[in-house]
Amino acid sequence: TAEVMSHVTAHFGKALEECRTESGLSPEILEEFQHFWSEDFEVVHRELGCALICMSNKFSLLQDDTRIHHVNMHDYVKGFPNGEVLSEKMVKLIHNCEKQFDDITDDCQRTVKVAACFKVDAKKEGIAPEVAMIEAVMERY
Ligand code: B8M
């Protein structure tokens, strides 16, 4: 659900600052990670892809090929309140997007494409949170 996704985003987003330097993602592109879900934020910058890889690695969510680690992602999402209702759906949506962009060899570029695809599909599925929902749970992490 969107509620669960707000928790996942709030927690995952805490890793952004540690990843800024190595990813080259400037605050002008994305100031706070929760804006990822904003209607008017476009998921297009290669640097965001690099940042997502760096952030995911902090939680061991990727395999060596930078595709998601299904078991670890499952366990990560399950760790949030009601996480078990979202974990399977989330892994499925991301994996489905990964398959669509499997031919892109640049890891950062492929990851930003996968993330954009995931944002669209999560909205379609009604599991995309509002930025305000994320802000409401930020202080808990
Ligand atoms: C990776 C879990 C993050 C959950 C927080 C919400 C939104 C961010 C979306 C990024 C999804 C892209 C994951 C990387 C897949 C690499 O193939």
Side-chain angles (χ1 to χ4, degrees):
T1 68
E3 180 67 32
V4 184
M5 189 73 89
S6 71
H7 283 260
V8 179
T9 305
H11 185 266
F12 184 75
K14 299 273 162 159
L16 175 61
E17 293 311 318
E18 299 176 66
C19 288
R20 272 207 199 277
T21 312
E22 76 163 80
S23 66
L25 181 65
S26 69
E28 288 71 30
I29 298 175
L30 183 61
E31 189 177 11
E32 296 181 292
F33 190 71
Q34 61 265 33
H35 297 140
F36 173 87
W37 291 107
S38 165
E39 285 297 341
D40 41 56
F41 177 71
E42 286 192 287
V43 181
V44 292
H45 295 88
R46 181 178 182 277
E47 294 90 339
L48 174 58
C50 303
L52 287 167
I53 293 171
C54 171
M55 292 163 78
S56 300
N57 282 147
K58 305 275 177 207
F59 305 110
S60 305
L61 298 178
L62 301 180
Q63 303 172 337
D64 293 340
D65 63 1
T66 75
R67 271 66 168 194
I68 55 159
H69 190 294
H70 291 220
V71 174
N72 291 3
M73 176 72 89
H74 220 85
D75 290 346
Y76 177 65
V77 177
K78 274 194 298 189
F80 295 95
N82 280 312
E84 66 285 346
V85 302
L86 180 68
S87 58
E88 206 169 316
K89 174 154 276 182
M90 196 164 156
V91 169
K92 264 187 205 156
L93 290 184
I94 294 175
H95 184 59
N96 179 59
C97 288
E98 286 179 336
K99 286 191 282 184
Q100 296 175 45
F101 298 102
D102 203 38
D103 58 324
I104 303 177
T105 53
D106 182 282
D107 292 334
C108 295
Q109 195 62 57
R110 185 182 60 257
T111 300
V112 77
K113 287 294 211 179
V114 170
C117 167
F118 171 66
K119 183 178 174 181
V120 169
D121 289 357
K123 280 176 184 287
K124 279 187 204 154
E125 295 284 323
I127 59 168
E130 301 293 331
V131 176
M133 295 168 65
I134 304 162
E135 281 171 348
V137 299
M138 282 290 288
E139 61 191 71
R140 298 210 223 166
Y141 300 102

